Amino acid sequence: YPRYAHLRRLSDRLDELFLPHLMSGSGPTVFALADPKVAKNLLKNPEKELGKDFGKVYHAVPLGQGVFSEQEYAAWVKNYNA
């Protein structure tokens, strides 16, 4: 869909960076899960890493472990990258 080509480009770039990601809601937000060191480097210069047409980049920290254990999260990342 040409109308959403920018989302495909963003997804492709996040894949290149090996960052598991999902779209939230109907599409205004895409989030990626990243190691803190990777996130820090990405936030230093997001336009260089992602391009200028992807909007703003924010660093969010989870408040807790949520519903996944570390093992479940590792399995999710492994399956995502398969």
Side-chain angles (χ1 to χ4, degrees), residues 7-81:
L7 290 176
R8 171 54 47 208
R9 289 192 311 274
L10 176 59
S11 180
D12 290 346
R13 180 63 184 133
L14 292 170
D15 283 341
E16 290 170 4
L17 294 169
F18 302 102
L19 295 175
H21 57 281
L22 294 169
M23 188 167 56
S24 175
S26 60
T29 304
V30 173
F31 67 93
L33 304 173
D35 177 272
K37 291 178 186 176
V38 173
K40 184 177 179 180
N41 288 333
L42 180 64
L43 290 167
K44 283 182 184 177
N45 194 348
E47 286 186 2
K48 177 183 174 192
E49 294 295 330
L50 299 175
K52 294 180 181 181
D53 61 340
F54 295 125
K56 296 183 180 191
V57 176
Y58 298 98
H59 178 229
V61 178
L63 297 175
Q65 290 188 348
V67 296
F68 293 111
S69 69
E70 287 184 35
Q71 294 81 11
E72 290 170 322
Y73 174 72
W76 181 82
V77 170
K78 182 179 178 181
N79 287 334
Y80 177 88
N81 289 321

